[in-house]
Amino acid sequence: MSVQISPQVAWGIIKHQNRFLIKQKTEAFSSDPLNLTNLHRFAYNGLAKKQAIGLRPEQGGKKGAVVLSVRRRILRRPASDVEEYPLRKDFRRQAQSVRRILKNVRPDLVRVALARLTKINRSLKPLRPLKKKVHTSKRKSIFRKKKTTTKPSNDVASTA
């Protein structure tokens, strides 16, 4: 017989020490793959909640993201609870799929998940090459006008 505890009690147990906790000077972060914001808070925690959602880039250099969904079913085999849904279409369809998945599971995290998906997609785009900058001294010489010198005319010299 397995005993299930409430999410609040689970959070009370794992709040101060767990595998994913990263403490900084003023803030506590989480490296939990089921935490969408990477902040160590009850609202975003994937360990304490019965249903959790995570997003990560797809492995192997492929373009796309993977939605990790957890539904606590069998307590003795937690690895079998994680379901992966690869998202390989364009960004609008990926966002639509994330909204559809989260609408029933965690509607409070839809905006956070879409922000995370946007960051993942931006990180997968290739970088644009940078334009070479022209130094200011060279730039000034390009736009500098040439000075023309006027020669005295012979008319003035002959009259004097």
Side-chain angles (χ1 to χ4, degrees), residues 5-18:
I5 58 175
S6 71
Q8 289 81 10
V9 174
W11 175 248
I13 294 169
I14 65 171
K15 180 172 34 176
H16 296 294
Q17 53 184 328
N18 66 56

Side-chain angles (χ1 to χ4, degrees), residues 94-146:
Q94 288 179 3
Q96 192 175 25
S97 297
V98 168
R99 273 193 215 102
R100 188 173 15 91
I101 291 169
L102 284 171
K103 182 174 67 173
N104 298 327
V105 180
R106 296 283 307 272
D108 57 325
L109 295 180
V110 172
R111 292 186 73 191
V112 175
L114 290 176
R116 176 95 177 209
L117 181 67
T118 303
K119 288 180 182 180
I120 288 172
N121 276 319
R122 281 188 185 157
S123 71
L124 294 175
K125 285 185 180 179
L127 293 175
R128 285 185 263 152
L130 295 174
K131 293 181 182 178
K132 291 185 179 179
K133 294 184 179 180
V134 178
H135 294 289
T136 56
S137 61
K138 290 182 181 179
R139 190 180 304 158
K140 287 180 183 176
S141 65
I142 293 172
F143 296 110
R144 193 177 300 156
K145 293 183 180 178
K146 294 181 179 178

Side-chain angles (χ1 to χ4, degrees), residues 33-34 54 56-59 65-70 79-88 101:
L34 298 172
R56 64 171 170 82
E58 197 164 4
Q59 301 286 331
V66 176
V67 176
L68 304 171
S69 176
V70 172
S80 67
D81 289 347
V82 178
E83 299 171 354
E84 294 187 0
Y85 302 103
L87 305 173
R88 295 191 183 117
I101 291 169

Side-chain angles (χ1 to χ4, degrees), residues 148-160:
T148 56
T149 57
T150 58
K151 295 181 181 177
S153 63
N154 290 338
D155 296 334
V156 178
S158 62
T159 56

